[in-house]
Amino acid sequence: MVHAKEAADAAAEHVAAGTLSAQQILETAFYKTNVQGSSTACVLVVNGITLSASNLGDSGFVLVRDGVATFQSPQQQHNFNFPFQLGSADSMSDQPQAAMVSKEVSGTSSMRPPTSQHQQ
């Protein structure tokens, strides 16, 4: 967990300046990781009234306003019980660019699929 904390601390200054998105954080963490294994991922960045998210696999988040769920991130699965996952290069895994990316500004939200044809 030390590496995640260090990465978050290093990213905080860029996020505050509005120069780093959730997707950029996910991609940077992925390419700096050299351990074996795989994981789903969900990264959210709140900056003022803007929320950006990068979600890969069956991890996710729910946006709640005044006690009401106003948005839920969709899951990404290749097949039943086979979610998208980030993993080491020698494994059957997905790239961070396959993540669903969302951005919300002052109460409106949108979620867009990855631009590649990787998702099934």
Side-chain angles (χ1 to χ4, degrees), residues 2-111:
V2 172
H3 297 296
K5 172 104 172 75
E6 290 171 359
D9 290 344
E13 184 176 312
H14 294 286
V15 170
T19 59
L20 194 61
S21 70
Q23 182 64 23
Q24 290 169 311
I25 292 169
L26 180 65
E27 289 180 20
T28 299
F30 176 80
Y31 292 116
K32 286 188 174 186
T33 300
N34 59 6
V35 295
Q36 289 192 347
S38 63
S39 177
T40 61
C42 185
V43 177
L44 287 96
V45 173
V46 177
N47 189 5
I49 62 169
T50 303
L51 168 75
S52 67
S54 183
N55 185 49
L56 187 125
D58 58 1
S59 293
F61 65 96
V62 177
L63 184 60
V64 178
R65 286 206 170 97
D66 298 322
V68 177
T70 60
F71 181 80
Q72 180 175 353
S73 60
Q75 294 184 5
Q76 291 177 295
Q77 294 195 22
H78 294 286
N79 289 306
F80 175 74
N81 206 26
F82 183 25
F84 281 41
Q85 293 190 34
L86 297 172
S88 48
D90 60 345
S91 67
M92 188 174 135
S93 63
D94 302 289
Q95 295 293 305
Q97 294 81 5
M100 298 285 283
V101 177
S102 70
K103 188 168 192 174
E104 171 159 321
V105 180
S106 185
T108 60
S109 63
S110 64
M111 192 82 170

